[in-house]
Amino acid sequence: SQVLPAGMLFVPSIGGVSHADDEDTAVDDLVLGCRALARAVERYAVRDRIISESVGEAIVAIDDAGIIESINAVGEAMFGYAPGELDGKPAAVLWAQPPLAEGGTLLQEAMGRRKGGASFPVEVLLSSARFGTRRVTIAAVRDVSERHVAKQKLGHAEDRFVRVFEASPAAIAILRADNHRIAEVNRAWSAAFEVPREEAIGKTLAELDILADAQQHKRLWDEFNAYSGASTEVHFKRRRDGGKVVHAVFTQPIDREGVPSALVYGIDITDQKAKDGQLIQAQKMEAVGQLTGGIAHDFNNLLTVIMGNTELLIGLLGDEKQRALATAVMRATTQGADLTHRLLAFSRRQTLM
């Protein structure tokens, strides 16, 4: 150790050693330095507290023994504890299903436990730091209860969609909008077009050779691109006999796992189209009958006048040759009358005799 002469005092200052008459200045420097250090420590503490309290996640500092050194106000509220109540307690009280205790940085799912014992889903980001020989684990905890509930609802909605999709009597397929390939089909679709699901997935309708002609493929996608909510007729063909099947096809844009797709569902209207054709033909025949009845009625009126006058003329004629000619007119008129009766019977749907 260094021996100082009388009147000399050792103080930690920039010069290291000061004379006694510089003692007051050295002490003042030491006091000012300590105050500056205290202010710096306070600034960093305030800054860390502001950062800790302003984030939306719980921030928990846990020592090597698994004891909570500190937790922010967000964390205390999240787990249901009063301020300071968790300090010094085992971190195990926070977990119903703890995160994996691994070094480095790892985002993982876990189950938190509130003060009353209720568990809730959380995401935990673990990071480790060393301060000399001390190791501290910082856990950033986010409550994902709302997301978990939304995910469950989405899962239930997907389950309902799958059940409706498979149970629907309509032929339904999901086609990718970018390459027109089939992503999924239901049982009704496979039955309608005689194509097993395994064979249909990944192929286009043209590759399956179930369209009546190339124009049908264009018609379907034109309707999708200019979606109006209306149906369009698409003509398919049966594999077993090549017969045509007509479907009223509706297309609905959907997003399937991030891929723009078309929900295509069709209803077999082959029989309906045939019945519609029969109805149209019947309506045509009814129109023809009405027209025929009107014409026959007017023509019959004309024949009545001709027959009456011809009959009078036969009675007035004395010449046999002239009477023979008038008689021929009468026979022709009678035949015309018989024809009009038949036309009237047709117009009234009576049996033609």
Side-chain angles (χ1 to χ4, degrees), residues 300-329:
N300 189 62
N301 291 337
L302 294 174
L303 290 178
T304 301
V305 174
I306 295 172
M307 289 177 67
N309 285 284
T310 302
E311 187 176 359
L312 291 174
L313 182 59
I314 292 173
L316 296 174
L317 291 174
D319 185 69
E320 290 295 328
K321 186 175 181 180
Q322 291 178 341
R323 289 176 62 129
L325 292 173
T327 302
V329 171

PDB file of all heavy atoms in Angstrom, residues 300-329:
ATOM      1  N   ASN A 300    -116.674 -22.789 -92.760  1.00  0.00           N
ATOM      2  CA  ASN A 300    -117.962 -23.484 -92.678  1.00  0.00           C
ATOM      3  C   ASN A 300    -119.122 -22.521 -92.924  1.00  0.00           C
ATOM      4  O   ASN A 300    -120.138 -22.883 -93.555  1.00  0.00           O
ATOM      5  CB  ASN A 300    -118.106 -24.140 -91.304  1.00  0.00           C
ATOM      6  CG  ASN A 300    -119.307 -25.053 -91.223  1.00  0.00           C
ATOM      7  OD1 ASN A 300    -119.410 -26.052 -91.954  1.00  0.00           O
ATOM      8  ND2 ASN A 300    -120.258 -24.718 -90.356  1.00  0.00           N
ATOM      9  N   ASN A 301    -118.980 -21.299 -92.456  1.00  0.00           N
ATOM     10  CA  ASN A 301    -120.015 -20.297 -92.726  1.00  0.00           C
ATOM     11  C   ASN A 301    -120.145 -20.028 -94.225  1.00  0.00           C
ATOM     12  O   ASN A 301    -121.259 -19.894 -94.764  1.00  0.00           O
ATOM     13  CB  ASN A 301    -119.698 -18.992 -91.987  1.00  0.00           C
ATOM     14  CG  ASN A 301    -119.837 -19.134 -90.474  1.00  0.00           C
ATOM     15  OD1 ASN A 301    -120.545 -20.021 -90.000  1.00  0.00           O
ATOM     16  ND2 ASN A 301    -119.184 -18.256 -89.739  1.00  0.00           N
ATOM     17  N   LEU A 302    -119.003 -19.948 -94.911  1.00  0.00           N
ATOM     18  CA  LEU A 302    -119.033 -19.732 -96.365  1.00  0.00           C
ATOM     19  C   LEU A 302    -119.687 -20.914 -97.079  1.00  0.00           C
ATOM     20  O   LEU A 302    -120.499 -20.742 -98.001  1.00  0.00           O
ATOM     21  CB  LEU A 302    -117.608 -19.521 -96.885  1.00  0.00           C
ATOM     22  CG  LEU A 302    -116.879 -18.251 -96.413  1.00  0.00           C
ATOM     23  CD1 LEU A 302    -115.435 -18.265 -96.893  1.00  0.00           C
ATOM     24  CD2 LEU A 302    -117.603 -17.021 -96.914  1.00  0.00           C
ATOM     25  N   LEU A 303    -119.344 -22.128 -96.630  1.00  0.00           N
ATOM     26  CA  LEU A 303    -119.908 -23.326 -97.279  1.00  0.00           C
ATOM     27  C   LEU A 303    -121.420 -23.398 -97.058  1.00  0.00           C
ATOM     28  O   LEU A 303    -122.174 -23.877 -97.926  1.00  0.00           O
ATOM     29  CB  LEU A 303    -119.235 -24.586 -96.723  1.00  0.00           C
ATOM     30  CG  LEU A 303    -117.774 -24.802 -97.132  1.00  0.00           C
ATOM     31  CD1 LEU A 303    -117.222 -26.050 -96.466  1.00  0.00           C
ATOM     32  CD2 LEU A 303    -117.641 -24.933 -98.650  1.00  0.00           C
ATOM     33  N   THR A 304    -121.864 -22.952 -95.904  1.00  0.00           N
ATOM     34  CA  THR A 304    -123.308 -22.959 -95.631  1.00  0.00           C
ATOM     35  C   THR A 304    -124.057 -22.084 -96.648  1.00  0.00           C
ATOM     36  O   THR A 304    -125.126 -22.465 -97.175  1.00  0.00           O
ATOM     37  CB  THR A 304    -123.573 -22.459 -94.207  1.00  0.00           C
ATOM     38  OG1 THR A 304    -122.890 -23.302 -93.270  1.00  0.00           O
ATOM     39  CG2 THR A 304    -125.061 -22.457 -93.903  1.00  0.00           C
ATOM     40  N   VAL A 305    -123.514 -20.920 -96.956  1.00  0.00           N
ATOM     41  CA  VAL A 305    -124.127 -20.031 -97.938  1.00  0.00           C
ATOM     42  C   VAL A 305    -124.128 -20.679 -99.321  1.00  0.00           C
ATOM     43  O   VAL A 305    -125.148 -20.659-100.060  1.00  0.00           O
ATOM     44  CB  VAL A 305    -123.383 -18.677 -97.981  1.00  0.00           C
ATOM     45  CG1 VAL A 305    -123.931 -17.799 -99.111  1.00  0.00           C
ATOM     46  CG2 VAL A 305    -123.511 -17.961 -96.644  1.00  0.00           C
ATOM     47  N   ILE A 306    -122.979 -21.289 -99.679  1.00  0.00           N
ATOM     48  CA  ILE A 306    -122.867 -21.928-101.000  1.00  0.00           C
ATOM     49  C   ILE A 306    -123.852 -23.090-101.123  1.00  0.00           C
ATOM     50  O   ILE A 306    -124.549 -23.255-102.149  1.00  0.00           O
ATOM     51  CB  ILE A 306    -121.419 -22.407-101.250  1.00  0.00           C
ATOM     52  CG1 ILE A 306    -120.474 -21.207-101.321  1.00  0.00           C
ATOM     53  CG2 ILE A 306    -121.337 -23.228-102.537  1.00  0.00           C
ATOM     54  CD1 ILE A 306    -119.012 -21.584-101.377  1.00  0.00           C
ATOM     55  N   MET A 307    -123.932 -23.926-100.079  1.00  0.00           N
ATOM     56  CA  MET A 307    -124.840 -25.077-100.117  1.00  0.00           C
ATOM     57  C   MET A 307    -126.299 -24.623-100.231  1.00  0.00           C
ATOM     58  O   MET A 307    -127.099 -25.206-100.989  1.00  0.00           O
ATOM     59  CB  MET A 307    -124.647 -25.933 -98.849  1.00  0.00           C
ATOM     60  CG  MET A 307    -123.332 -26.687 -98.810  1.00  0.00           C
ATOM     61  SD  MET A 307    -123.121 -27.622 -97.266  1.00  0.00           S
ATOM     62  CE  MET A 307    -124.413 -28.831 -97.466  1.00  0.00           C
ATOM     63  N   GLY A 308    -126.664 -23.603 -99.496  1.00  0.00           N
ATOM     64  CA  GLY A 308    -128.045 -23.143 -99.550  1.00  0.00           C
ATOM     65  C   GLY A 308    -128.434 -22.596-100.914  1.00  0.00           C
ATOM     66  O   GLY A 308    -129.505 -22.920-101.453  1.00  0.00           O
ATOM     67  N   ASN A 309    -127.560 -21.805-101.492  1.00  0.00           N
ATOM     68  CA  ASN A 309    -127.847 -21.244-102.805  1.00  0.00           C
ATOM     69  C   ASN A 309    -127.806 -22.305-103.900  1.00  0.00           C
ATOM     70  O   ASN A 309    -128.600 -22.263-104.859  1.00  0.00           O
ATOM     71  CB  ASN A 309    -126.860 -20.117-103.128  1.00  0.00           C
ATOM     72  CG  ASN A 309    -127.166 -18.841-102.346  1.00  0.00           C
ATOM     73  OD1 ASN A 309    -128.101 -18.112-102.670  1.00  0.00           O
ATOM     74  ND2 ASN A 309    -126.392 -18.598-101.294  1.00  0.00           N
ATOM     75  N   THR A 310    -126.895 -23.285-103.747  1.00  0.00           N
ATOM     76  CA  THR A 310    -126.824 -24.363-104.757  1.00  0.00           C
ATOM     77  C   THR A 310    -128.090 -25.203-104.720  1.00  0.00           C
ATOM     78  O   THR A 310    -128.619 -25.632-105.761  1.00  0.00           O
ATOM     79  CB  THR A 310    -125.592 -25.247-104.494  1.00  0.00           C
ATOM     80  OG1 THR A 310    -124.411 -24.430-104.529  1.00  0.00           O
ATOM     81  CG2 THR A 310    -125.475 -26.335-105.542  1.00  0.00           C
ATOM     82  N   GLU A 311    -128.590 -25.484-103.534  1.00  0.00           N
ATOM     83  CA  GLU A 311    -129.821 -26.265-103.400  1.00  0.00           C
ATOM     84  C   GLU A 311    -131.003 -25.535-104.049  1.00  0.00           C
ATOM     85  O   GLU A 311    -131.846 -26.144-104.752  1.00  0.00           O
ATOM     86  CB  GLU A 311    -130.103 -26.524-101.921  1.00  0.00           C
ATOM     87  CG  GLU A 311    -131.265 -27.468-101.680  1.00  0.00           C
ATOM     88  CD  GLU A 311    -131.457 -27.789-100.220  1.00  0.00           C
ATOM     89  OE1 GLU A 311    -130.659 -27.289 -99.380  1.00  0.00           O
ATOM     90  OE2 GLU A 311    -132.384 -28.542 -99.900  1.00  0.00           O
ATOM     91  N   LEU A 312    -131.092 -24.218-103.880  1.00  0.00           N
ATOM     92  CA  LEU A 312    -132.148 -23.431-104.533  1.00  0.00           C
ATOM     93  C   LEU A 312    -131.988 -23.437-106.049  1.00  0.00           C
ATOM     94  O   LEU A 312    -132.970 -23.549-106.818  1.00  0.00           O
ATOM     95  CB  LEU A 312    -132.125 -21.983-104.025  1.00  0.00           C
ATOM     96  CG  LEU A 312    -132.552 -21.759-102.564  1.00  0.00           C
ATOM     97  CD1 LEU A 312    -132.334 -20.307-102.170  1.00  0.00           C
ATOM     98  CD2 LEU A 312    -134.011 -22.153-102.394  1.00  0.00           C
ATOM     99  N   LEU A 313    -130.732 -23.362-106.463  1.00  0.00           N
ATOM    100  CA  LEU A 313    -130.468 -23.336-107.901  1.00  0.00           C
ATOM    101  C   LEU A 313    -130.874 -24.653-108.566  1.00  0.00           C
ATOM    102  O   LEU A 313    -131.447 -24.664-109.673  1.00  0.00           O
ATOM    103  CB  LEU A 313    -128.981 -23.068-108.146  1.00  0.00           C
ATOM    104  CG  LEU A 313    -128.515 -22.948-109.605  1.00  0.00           C
ATOM    105  CD1 LEU A 313    -129.257 -21.803-110.309  1.00  0.00           C
ATOM    106  CD2 LEU A 313    -127.018 -22.766-109.684  1.00  0.00           C
ATOM    107  N   ILE A 314    -130.625 -25.773-107.910  1.00  0.00           N
ATOM    108  CA  ILE A 314    -131.002 -27.079-108.488  1.00  0.00           C
ATOM    109  C   ILE A 314    -132.522 -27.146-108.676  1.00  0.00           C
ATOM    110  O   ILE A 314    -133.034 -27.681-109.667  1.00  0.00           O
ATOM    111  CB  ILE A 314    -130.520 -28.235-107.575  1.00  0.00           C
ATOM    112  CG1 ILE A 314    -128.983 -28.298-107.600  1.00  0.00           C
ATOM    113  CG2 ILE A 314    -131.111 -29.556-108.007  1.00  0.00           C
ATOM    114  CD1 ILE A 314    -128.396 -29.274-106.622  1.00  0.00           C
ATOM    115  N   GLY A 315    -133.266 -26.586-107.749  1.00  0.00           N
ATOM    116  CA  GLY A 315    -134.722 -26.622-107.858  1.00  0.00           C
ATOM    117  C   GLY A 315    -135.254 -25.717-108.958  1.00  0.00           C
ATOM    118  O   GLY A 315    -136.345 -25.958-109.493  1.00  0.00           O
ATOM    119  N   LEU A 316    -134.526 -24.699-109.332  1.00  0.00           N
ATOM    120  CA  LEU A 316    -134.974 -23.766-110.352  1.00  0.00           C
ATOM    121  C   LEU A 316    -134.565 -24.173-111.762  1.00  0.00           C
ATOM    122  O   LEU A 316    -135.208 -23.776-112.747  1.00  0.00           O
ATOM    123  CB  LEU A 316    -134.421 -22.351-110.066  1.00  0.00           C
ATOM    124  CG  LEU A 316    -134.915 -21.677-108.767  1.00  0.00           C
ATOM    125  CD1 LEU A 316    -134.181 -20.366-108.542  1.00  0.00           C
ATOM    126  CD2 LEU A 316    -136.427 -21.451-108.844  1.00  0.00           C
ATOM    127  N   LEU A 317    -133.499 -24.963-111.859  1.00  0.00           N
ATOM    128  CA  LEU A 317    -133.000 -25.324-113.203  1.00  0.00           C
ATOM    129  C   LEU A 317    -133.859 -26.424-113.808  1.00  0.00           C
ATOM    130  O   LEU A 317    -134.152 -27.433-113.155  1.00  0.00           O
ATOM    131  CB  LEU A 317    -131.537 -25.777-113.112  1.00  0.00           C
ATOM    132  CG  LEU A 317    -130.510 -24.679-112.753  1.00  0.00           C
ATOM    133  CD1 LEU A 317    -129.136 -25.294-112.554  1.00  0.00           C
ATOM    134  CD2 LEU A 317    -130.480 -23.616-113.841  1.00  0.00           C
ATOM    135  N   GLY A 318    -134.239 -26.205-115.083  1.00  0.00           N
ATOM    136  CA  GLY A 318    -135.007 -27.233-115.785  1.00  0.00           C
ATOM    137  C   GLY A 318    -134.128 -28.074-116.696  1.00  0.00           C
ATOM    138  O   GLY A 318    -134.458 -29.224-117.010  1.00  0.00           O
ATOM    139  N   ASP A 319    -133.039 -27.529-117.114  1.00  0.00           N
ATOM    140  CA  ASP A 319    -132.152 -28.266-118.016  1.00  0.00           C
ATOM    141  C   ASP A 319    -131.370 -29.299-117.195  1.00  0.00           C
ATOM    142  O   ASP A 319    -130.746 -28.985-116.175  1.00  0.00           O
ATOM    143  CB  ASP A 319    -131.205 -27.272-118.710  1.00  0.00           C
ATOM    144  CG  ASP A 319    -130.338 -27.966-119.741  1.00  0.00           C
ATOM    145  OD1 ASP A 319    -130.834 -28.393-120.752  1.00  0.00           O
ATOM    146  OD2 ASP A 319    -129.102 -28.096-119.436  1.00  0.00           O
ATOM    147  N   GLU A 320    -131.412 -30.567-117.692  1.00  0.00           N
ATOM    148  CA  GLU A 320    -130.770 -31.656-116.965  1.00  0.00           C
ATOM    149  C   GLU A 320    -129.256 -31.469-116.893  1.00  0.00           C
ATOM    150  O   GLU A 320    -128.627 -31.795-115.861  1.00  0.00           O
ATOM    151  CB  GLU A 320    -131.093 -32.993-117.636  1.00  0.00           C
ATOM    152  CG  GLU A 320    -132.533 -33.412-117.477  1.00  0.00           C
ATOM    153  CD  GLU A 320    -132.853 -33.682-116.021  1.00  0.00           C
ATOM    154  OE1 GLU A 320    -131.954 -34.134-115.246  1.00  0.00           O
ATOM    155  OE2 GLU A 320    -133.992 -33.428-115.604  1.00  0.00           O
ATOM    156  N   LYS A 321    -128.660 -30.961-117.938  1.00  0.00           N
ATOM    157  CA  LYS A 321    -127.204 -30.789-117.946  1.00  0.00           C
ATOM    158  C   LYS A 321    -126.795 -29.749-116.910  1.00  0.00           C
ATOM    159  O   LYS A 321    -125.818 -29.926-116.163  1.00  0.00           O
ATOM    160  CB  LYS A 321    -126.770 -30.373-119.332  1.00  0.00           C
ATOM    161  CG  LYS A 321    -125.261 -30.300-119.492  1.00  0.00           C
ATOM    162  CD  LYS A 321    -124.878 -29.994-120.931  1.00  0.00           C
ATOM    163  CE  LYS A 321    -123.372 -29.943-121.097  1.00  0.00           C
ATOM    164  NZ  LYS A 321    -122.963 -29.654-122.481  1.00  0.00           N
ATOM    165  N   GLN A 322    -127.580 -28.664-116.835  1.00  0.00           N
ATOM    166  CA  GLN A 322    -127.270 -27.622-115.856  1.00  0.00           C
ATOM    167  C   GLN A 322    -127.511 -28.117-114.433  1.00  0.00           C
ATOM    168  O   GLN A 322    -126.776 -27.810-113.500  1.00  0.00           O
ATOM    169  CB  GLN A 322    -128.125 -26.390-116.143  1.00  0.00           C
ATOM    170  CG  GLN A 322    -127.742 -25.685-117.436  1.00  0.00           C
ATOM    171  CD  GLN A 322    -128.640 -24.493-117.724  1.00  0.00           C
ATOM    172  OE1 GLN A 322    -129.742 -24.383-117.168  1.00  0.00           O
ATOM    173  NE2 GLN A 322    -128.183 -23.615-118.615  1.00  0.00           N
ATOM    174  N   ARG A 323    -128.587 -28.948-114.269  1.00  0.00           N
ATOM    175  CA  ARG A 323    -128.859 -29.504-112.936  1.00  0.00           C
ATOM    176  C   ARG A 323    -127.733 -30.439-112.492  1.00  0.00           C
ATOM    177  O   ARG A 323    -127.379 -30.501-111.307  1.00  0.00           O
ATOM    178  CB  ARG A 323    -130.177 -30.260-112.941  1.00  0.00           C
ATOM    179  CG  ARG A 323    -131.398 -29.331-113.048  1.00  0.00           C
ATOM    180  CD  ARG A 323    -132.635 -30.167-113.155  1.00  0.00           C
ATOM    181  NE  ARG A 323    -132.765 -30.975-111.935  1.00  0.00           N
ATOM    182  CZ  ARG A 323    -133.876 -31.042-111.205  1.00  0.00           C
ATOM    183  NH1 ARG A 323    -134.934 -30.337-111.544  1.00  0.00           N
ATOM    184  NH2 ARG A 323    -133.937 -31.807-110.158  1.00  0.00           N
ATOM    185  N   ALA A 324    -127.142 -31.168-113.451  1.00  0.00           N
ATOM    186  CA  ALA A 324    -126.031 -32.080-113.130  1.00  0.00           C
ATOM    187  C   ALA A 324    -124.812 -31.293-112.649  1.00  0.00           C
ATOM    188  O   ALA A 324    -124.119 -31.691-111.692  1.00  0.00           O
ATOM    189  CB  ALA A 324    -125.673 -32.929-114.339  1.00  0.00           C
ATOM    190  N   LEU A 325    -124.584 -30.162-113.310  1.00  0.00           N
ATOM    191  CA  LEU A 325    -123.446 -29.325-112.883  1.00  0.00           C
ATOM    192  C   LEU A 325    -123.691 -28.749-111.479  1.00  0.00           C
ATOM    193  O   LEU A 325    -122.796 -28.718-110.636  1.00  0.00           O
ATOM    194  CB  LEU A 325    -123.230 -28.182-113.884  1.00  0.00           C
ATOM    195  CG  LEU A 325    -122.739 -28.601-115.281  1.00  0.00           C
ATOM    196  CD1 LEU A 325    -122.727 -27.408-116.228  1.00  0.00           C
ATOM    197  CD2 LEU A 325    -121.335 -29.209-115.190  1.00  0.00           C
ATOM    198  N   ALA A 326    -124.903 -28.316-111.213  1.00  0.00           N
ATOM    199  CA  ALA A 326    -125.217 -27.766-109.890  1.00  0.00           C
ATOM    200  C   ALA A 326    -125.139 -28.845-108.816  1.00  0.00           C
ATOM    201  O   ALA A 326    -124.705 -28.597-107.670  1.00  0.00           O
ATOM    202  CB  ALA A 326    -126.604 -27.149-109.913  1.00  0.00           C
ATOM    203  N   THR A 327    -125.534 -30.068-109.188  1.00  0.00           N
ATOM    204  CA  THR A 327    -125.453 -31.198-108.241  1.00  0.00           C
ATOM    205  C   THR A 327    -124.000 -31.499-107.885  1.00  0.00           C
ATOM    206  O   THR A 327    -123.668 -31.815-106.729  1.00  0.00           O
ATOM    207  CB  THR A 327    -126.142 -32.426-108.831  1.00  0.00           C
ATOM    208  OG1 THR A 327    -127.507 -32.107-109.125  1.00  0.00           O
ATOM    209  CG2 THR A 327    -126.091 -33.588-107.860  1.00  0.00           C
ATOM    210  N   ALA A 328    -123.072 -31.387-108.857  1.00  0.00           N
ATOM    211  CA  ALA A 328    -121.641 -31.621-108.602  1.00  0.00           C
ATOM    212  C   ALA A 328    -121.096 -30.572-107.626  1.00  0.00           C
ATOM    213  O   ALA A 328    -120.286 -30.870-106.729  1.00  0.00           O
ATOM    214  CB  ALA A 328    -120.873 -31.593-109.918  1.00  0.00           C
ATOM    215  N   VAL A 329    -121.589 -29.342-107.787  1.00  0.00           N
ATOM    216  CA  VAL A 329    -121.174 -28.278-106.863  1.00  0.00           C
ATOM    217  C   VAL A 329    -121.626 -28.608-105.436  1.00  0.00           C
ATOM    218  O   VAL A 329    -120.907 -28.404-104.458  1.00  0.00           O
ATOM    219  CB  VAL A 329    -121.748 -26.928-107.330  1.00  0.00           C
ATOM    220  CG1 VAL A 329    -121.502 -25.857-106.262  1.00  0.00           C
ATOM    221  CG2 VAL A 329    -121.133 -26.509-108.645  1.00  0.00           C
TER     222      VAL A 329
END
